[in-house]
Amino acid sequence: MAEASQKIPVTVLTGYLGAGKTTLLNRILSENHGKKYAVIVNEFGEIGIDNDLIIGADEEVFEMNNGCVCCTVRGDLVRIMDGLMKRKGKFDAIIVETTGLADPAPVAQTFFVDEDVQKNARLDAVVTVADAKWLSDRLKDAPEAKNQIAFADVIVLNKTDLVTKPELAEVEARIRGINPYAKLHRTERCQVGITDVLERGAFDLDRILEIEPAFLEADDHDHDHHHGHDHHHHHDHGHGGLKHYHDEEMQSLSLRSDKPLDPSLFMPWLQNLVQSEGQKILRSKGILAFAGDDDRYVFQGVHMMLEGDHQRKWKDGEKRESRVVFIGRDLPEQQIRDGFEACIPA
Amino acid sequence: MKEFDPGGAPSIVSITDRVKPLALGGAVSSVHFLGDRAHFVGAEENIAIATADGEVTQAPVHFGAILCAASDGKRIVTGGDDGKLLALDAKGETMTLATDAKRRWIDNVALHTDGTVAWSAGKTAFVQGAKGDAKTFEVPSTVGGLAFAPKGLRLAVAHYGGVTLWFPNMAANPEFLEWAGSHLAVTFSPDNKFLVTAMHEPAMHGWRLADNRHMRMSGYPGRVRSMSWSAGGKGLATSGADTVIVWPFASKDGPMGKEPAMLAPLPARVSVVACHPKSDIMVAGYGDGTVLMIRLDDGAEILVRKNAGAPVTALGWNAKGTLLAFGTEDGDGGILEM
């Protein structure tokens, strides 16, 4: 889409305190990429970030006046984007660094709710930096850390040199228990390729190619079946006998059908679902095969906000299968499964 | 009905040939007259000064984006992302009025008729009189807009959740007008009876100051970015819809229980409005580049600029109402002698 590519890409950088957000930010900025970034940080001037265009933000979360409690935006970002757009052409991309305690949703929603922001900028991806040594603990005691993992498109699992292989496997299993769909990169000192974190197009409908969970890589043969969690349960996919955690609170739910869906049933169902359960649903994504429709229909959403469009023709020989994924907190699994099933014409 | 011609477009009086075109050198945010010269505040760095003959000179002001501007007809005060508050006078001289200690963006500025300046950076509002030090005032969230009351030294500070009325020279407690949501631009009616904000949502909110009664002004398809009081404060013209929306303020109840006038519909969003300082006429600029002059009584239209290119972003009259200037997002402009 020519129109989408003219919009300035915005990368949201999250991560719990001390995980290495600033290290990653400085890595991105110091790389010889010939691009100029506008960087929006939360603690102005406090930490050493070497960039011409740094803007201090206040992390003000505003509720929209539409009666929807999860429909929040970052008021300060609206203002900053307004000001930055006066300098269009002076930078190529925007990076928004949030505080360790921030919920990424209001940041992301700002780029969908605000008409003027949406006209000029597009959300590229939510990148979460996680500390391999401490993330497991934070997932237990810090709801923010869990939010950031659940919301991520890209997870940079940092400080892997400070943990043993089993510890690393453990933390990865915990991440995958919450979010099996994000791209995960193991790093030391945030050594990750810039193209792995920027220009991901994670919110670009044209780039929803497939939705497959990442299987835990069976590269270390540590068959220690210590589950460490009372709520372990088996999913129907195999993962080489590796540890698998099911997070009691935050989980992903995947739906699949190889029979075409009825759009006159599916669309209202999806709308109603995000209206009623939008507070629990952090992210959603889908590739849909509708009855009597030769086009793939794709959608993605953040809480109650949904974007969807016909993407392209189903290719010859391509399996016309519908896949829908929700990541969220205390998802009413059976209700969602039943609702989805009801969209398949008998 | 023999003159009725269903095939032809309705003819409109055009004065496009009387406009002196101006090349302003960059996107324009607002235009203000100092005497008979139009000062186009650029999106960044410069103010372009145009004479009625169409001659343009550039006055450099900020090193970066110009985030806000206000004028009292004697000078233009601008705030920038360089953390500076500057004044440009009719002689073309610039003066730095303030520099933010932390080099924060100066987001808003307002001018009082007595020369007092108000500005804001983040959650802090500042007021600086002709003498003495600047006074500061903190609001709970980032300042969305500032306006001085027409009488007395009273500053309206719009923010998330409402508007705070601050009396910088009095010990009195600030007054808080509450209404859920994020309030941006704010304006007092010229008779000092009403206060109106343009919200982040596509709506406006108003208060009758005598009893703080609420006035909800909603139904816009887009955010209201431009408001202008008609001569004598009888109506408030606004952008944000595909017609000019004019709310009636002539009676003591303001627009409460009344419908607004909807003038000059076009298949494009109104982007900026400016009422004539003396007569019941106004101009409206549209997202498609059109500029229309509109009679407020009956909505009669005169074409000032045809639809072309980028949105109109600036409109202004000189104090006598004899000169009109407009500017656009792509740096095009015009000046017209009435």
Side-chain angles (χ1 to χ4, degrees):
Chain A
M1 269 194 289
E3 195 198 321
S5 61
Q6 280 158 15
K7 294 185 181 185
I8 295 166
V10 181
T11 303
V12 178
L13 197 54
T14 76
Y16 208 69
L17 306 163
K21 283 193 304 277
T22 308
T23 310
L24 179 58
L25 188 53
N26 275 329
R27 268 194 54 77
I28 293 169
L29 296 174
S30 61
E31 195 115 321
N32 187 19
H33 39 52
K35 289 203 168 183
K36 283 202 178 109
Y37 294 98
V39 180
I40 302 171
V41 296
N42 49 77
E43 282 115 9
F44 185 64
E46 212 165 280
I47 26 180
I49 295 166
D50 188 22
N51 197 48
D52 288 339
L53 200 49
I54 302 178
I55 306 106
D58 300 296
E59 299 221 332
E60 293 176 328
V61 176
F62 291 174
E63 268 174 42
M64 298 296 287
N65 250 353
N66 54 9
C68 156
V69 283
C70 60
C71 194
T72 50
V73 299
R74 281 270 304 271
D76 55 324
L77 264 186
V78 173
R79 171 183 67 88
I80 288 167
M81 290 300 296
D82 235 29
L84 275 178
M85 286 313 139
K86 298 197 169 201
R87 308 202 69 187
K88 251 191 271 183
K90 298 288 192 304
F91 53 90
D92 307 293
I94 298 170
I95 302 171
V96 184
E97 189 203 30
T98 69
T99 60
L101 299 174
D103 176 3
V107 184
Q109 288 175 162
T110 305
F111 294 91
F112 296 109
V113 166
D114 190 89
E115 192 187 14
D116 298 291
V117 171
Q118 207 182 17
K119 202 168 69 190
N120 295 307
R122 63 176 172 85
L123 190 56
D124 186 65
V126 175
V127 176
T128 299
V129 186
D131 183 325
K133 189 157 180 68
W134 296 110
L135 182 71
S136 295
D137 287 351
R138 293 296 80 78
L139 290 178
K140 287 175 206 152
D141 64 16
E144 298 87 358
K146 208 179 260 185
N147 252 340
Q148 291 163 357
I149 294 294
F151 215 91
D153 299 294
V154 176
I155 296 168
V156 176
L157 186 55
N158 194 33
K159 307 192 188 182
T160 53
D161 50 330
L162 302 182
V163 293
T164 62
K165 272 197 165 188
E167 282 171 332
L168 187 60
E170 156 107 15
V171 71
E172 282 188 21
R174 288 195 182 276
I175 289 172
R176 289 313 189 190
I178 294 168
N179 184 346
Y181 299 97
K183 289 261 176 294
L184 191 144
H185 302 281
R186 302 167 187 172
T187 65
E188 297 169 20
R189 288 171 293 280
C190 287
Q191 298 279 349
V192 62
I194 277 199
T195 51
D196 290 328
V197 286
L198 300 181
E199 286 297 329
R200 303 299 309 164
F203 291 84
D204 182 352
L205 292 175
D206 277 348
R207 284 171 69 171
I208 300 178
L209 303 178
E210 55 177 16
I211 302 171
E212 291 300 333
F215 294 111
L216 295 172
E217 289 168 41
D219 62 352
D220 87 73
H221 292 273
D222 168 23
H223 284 245
D224 169 18
H225 281 259
H226 163 71
H227 295 302
H229 197 291
D230 292 334
H231 291 266
H232 167 254
H233 83 199
H234 277 283
H235 282 202
D236 54 8
H237 55 251
H239 31 74
L242 289 173
K243 287 180 253 190
H244 182 86
Y245 289 100
H246 176 79
D247 192 279
E248 193 183 352
E249 182 201 3
M250 196 80 84
Q251 61 279 133
S252 65
L253 177 55
S254 156
L255 308 164
R256 190 193 289 263
S257 167
D258 47 17
K259 296 192 198 95
L261 305 177
D262 180 344
S264 70
L265 297 173
F266 180 83
M267 292 305 213
W269 169 73
L270 182 66
Q271 291 284 353
N272 284 337
L273 179 68
V274 299
Q275 281 302 314
S276 59
E277 305 294 337
Q279 255 184 297
K280 295 177 183 164
I281 300 168
L282 271 64
R283 297 283 299 265
S284 58
K285 206 172 262 197
I287 299 172
L288 304 164
F290 286 135
D293 190 342
D294 279 334
D295 284 347
R296 269 162 63 115
Y297 190 91
V298 292
F299 78 89
Q300 64 90 16
V302 171
H303 286 300
M304 282 192 190
M305 266 157 245
L306 287 174
E307 266 192 336
D309 207 352
H310 285 97
Q311 186 189 39
R312 61 164 170 82
K313 291 237 175 302
W314 288 101
K315 290 175 190 155
D316 288 338
E318 187 179 13
K319 198 173 165 197
R320 293 198 184 191
E321 184 187 62
S322 296
R323 285 294 308 269
V324 176
V325 162
F326 297 100
I327 297 177
R329 188 181 292 109
D330 303 321
L331 295 175
E333 182 172 345
Q334 202 50 50
Q335 181 200 325
I336 294 176
R337 288 195 185 281
D338 292 348
F340 180 74
E341 291 294 320
C343 302
I344 304 165
Chain B
M1 296 290 283
K2 61 180 186 292
E3 282 116 352
F4 184 66
D5 172 19
S11 64
I12 175 169
V13 180
S14 167
I15 51 170
T16 52
D17 54 340
R18 285 172 48 196
V19 174
K20 288 221 165 58
L22 305 170
L24 301 170
V28 175
S29 304
S30 62
V31 58
H32 313 267
F33 275 90
L34 299 182
D36 288 339
R37 290 201 288 178
H39 291 62
F40 295 89
V41 178
E44 43 184 358
E45 292 169 9
N46 295 327
I47 293 179
I49 305 166
T51 64
D53 303 328
E55 209 177 293
V56 180
T57 50
Q58 298 282 348
V61 280
H62 289 276
F63 292 103
I66 306 174
L67 300 172
C68 54
S71 176
D72 55 6
K74 298 190 271 290
R75 57 182 178 158
I76 297 163
V77 179
T78 56
D81 71 356
D82 55 1
K84 286 188 188 301
L85 184 75
L86 302 174
L88 175 73
D89 67 17
K91 285 178 274 179
E93 281 169 21
T94 52
M95 194 169 110
T96 302
L97 301 181
T99 303
D100 190 79
K102 294 184 212 149
R103 210 181 161 273
R104 290 177 297 177
W105 289 13
I106 309 294
D107 297 313
N108 297 286
V109 62
L111 283 177
H112 193 274
T113 46
D114 73 359
T116 303
V117 189
W119 70 96
S120 73
K123 297 173 190 176
T124 314
F126 300 80
V127 160
Q128 169 80 69
K131 46 187 189 285
D133 289 335
K135 295 188 170 84
T136 66
F137 182 70
E138 293 282 323
V139 288
S141 66
T142 302
V143 176
L146 297 170
F148 278 110
K151 283 182 221 153
L153 192 65
R154 176 159 69 154
L155 183 70
V157 184
H159 49 84
Y160 181 62
V163 178
T164 302
L165 297 174
W166 175 38
F167 307 85
N169 285 346
M170 298 207 297
N173 281 336
E175 210 176 304
F176 178 51
L177 303 171
E178 189 178 1
W179 187 257
S182 182
H183 299 263
L184 301 173
V186 57
T187 178
F188 284 92
S189 63
D191 62 7
N192 209 15
K193 287 188 176 137
F194 301 99
L195 184 77
V196 179
T197 62
M199 302 191 63
H200 179 228
E201 283 99 16
M204 302 206 303
H205 195 78
W207 291 265
R208 183 164 67 184
L209 292 170
D211 54 7
N212 290 355
R213 264 189 68 182
H214 293 284
M215 299 178 282
R216 300 179 68 168
M217 291 168 271
S218 56
Y220 290 88
R223 200 205 288 182
V224 178
R225 286 186 160 256
S226 177
M227 304 187 275
S228 176
W229 292 97
S230 69
K234 282 177 283 188
L236 180 62
T238 59
S239 71
D242 55 4
T243 74
V244 177
I245 306 285
V246 187
W247 296 95
F249 276 85
S251 79
K252 66 174 173 47
D253 288 336
M256 282 184 251
K258 297 193 188 79
E259 291 288 321
M262 297 194 272
L263 308 176
L266 276 189
R269 196 75 68 77
V270 177
S271 48
V272 55
V273 289
C275 291
H276 190 274
K278 298 201 163 112
S279 314
D280 283 338
I281 57 170
M282 63 169 292
V283 279
Y286 292 76
D288 66 356
T290 307
V291 177
L292 291 178
M293 197 177 298
I294 304 153
R295 194 157 58 201
L296 288 166
D297 301 334
D298 59 1
E301 301 160 19
I302 295 173
L303 185 67
V304 179
R305 184 180 193 256
K306 279 187 193 169
N307 58 330
V312 180
T313 46
L315 285 173
W317 300 90
N318 68 342
K320 288 177 279 183
T322 53
L323 291 169
L324 167 69
F326 63 82
T328 69
E329 203 176 84
D330 58 0
D332 221 10
I335 191 163
L336 170 69
E337 225 167 326
M338 302 294 289

